[in-house]
Amino acid sequence: MKFEVYPELFEALPNACFGVVTVKGVDNTKEAPEIEALLAENIKKCEAKYEGKKVKEQPEIVPYREAFRTLGINPNKFMCSIEALLTRIAKGKGFPHINAVVDLGNAVSIQYDLPIGAHDTDTIPEALCVRAAKEGDHFTPFGSDQAETPDVGEMIYASGQEVRTRRWTWRQSEIGKITEETKNLFFPIDGFTDINKDKVLEARDALADLLKKTFDCQVEVGFVDKEHPVFSCDL
């Protein structure tokens, strides 16, 4: 597995950083009541934490909204995934059980107020990259089979010309989504070196430990920033 963040992101956001977790050998068909319980517990805590508050105004979320603006993305129209998730929960809408791995990622994301993506690495023929979109890139929205074209220059996650996440951390693709058949995964945790790096690393390690404990799988972790823009491992 290779993960690379291109210079254009760091030119716009020099403080961007990524905690990464690579996983091999998950059995995502198994029942994991402890993960469902953790997700329910963290949802309950989140509801209490943000009761009567506007999520978009909270110090955990403001840096992501500012980063979106820096990247030319309107955060009022295209919310960072963590803002969208916390806003949903703060409004009392909860979050549905999907499958064990997705539930675990969501539970940790909610606990640490951080955007955490999840990609099926068996669907990634090339390295997963964060870069600016270019001509020829294409994106299949989650839940759809109709491809769309991202704006040239838009910050994306991509493998080759297949866009896996549009507008940095806004929306993931139908391609590479996590299902019960998924066995090998890559989780990026997006943050900022001068704002929440400690939380990114803490969330990374918590996610890695829970994956090993729950699924008895192989796990490797890493960290990417401006000085170290590439992560690779044998998993």
Side-chain angles (χ1 to χ4, degrees), residues 55-73:
V55 171
K56 70 178 183 179
E57 297 177 353
Q58 302 312 303
E60 301 91 347
I61 300 303
V62 168
Y64 292 96
R65 292 178 63 84
E66 293 176 346
F68 267 42
R69 290 192 180 95
T70 298
L71 295 173
I73 305 168

Side-chain angles (χ1 to χ4, degrees), residues 15 17-19 64 112 114 189-206 223:
N15 62 338
C17 68
F18 304 79
Y64 292 96
Y112 290 95
L114 293 169
I189 307 173
D190 308 67
F192 308 96
T193 54
D194 57 342
I195 298 171
N196 57 7
K197 177 181 176 180
D198 289 347
K199 286 181 65 177
V200 168
L201 294 175
E202 188 176 347
R204 179 200 68 180
D205 294 343
F223 182 75

Side-chain angles (χ1 to χ4, degrees), residues 115-166:
I116 300 180
H119 303 268
D120 185 334
T121 55
D122 288 335
T123 70
I124 299 175
E126 303 178 42
L128 184 66
C129 303
V130 179
R131 61 168 175 80
K134 56 189 178 183
E135 293 287 348
D137 288 339
H138 50 90
F139 175 79
T140 304
F142 196 86
S144 173
D145 59 1
Q146 300 296 313
E148 61 186 39
T149 303
D151 300 327
V152 172
E154 175 187 320
M155 202 57 62
I156 59 172
Y157 275 80
S159 178
Q161 291 194 295
E162 177 71 54
V163 178
R164 297 307 177 97
T165 305
R166 284 200 64 182

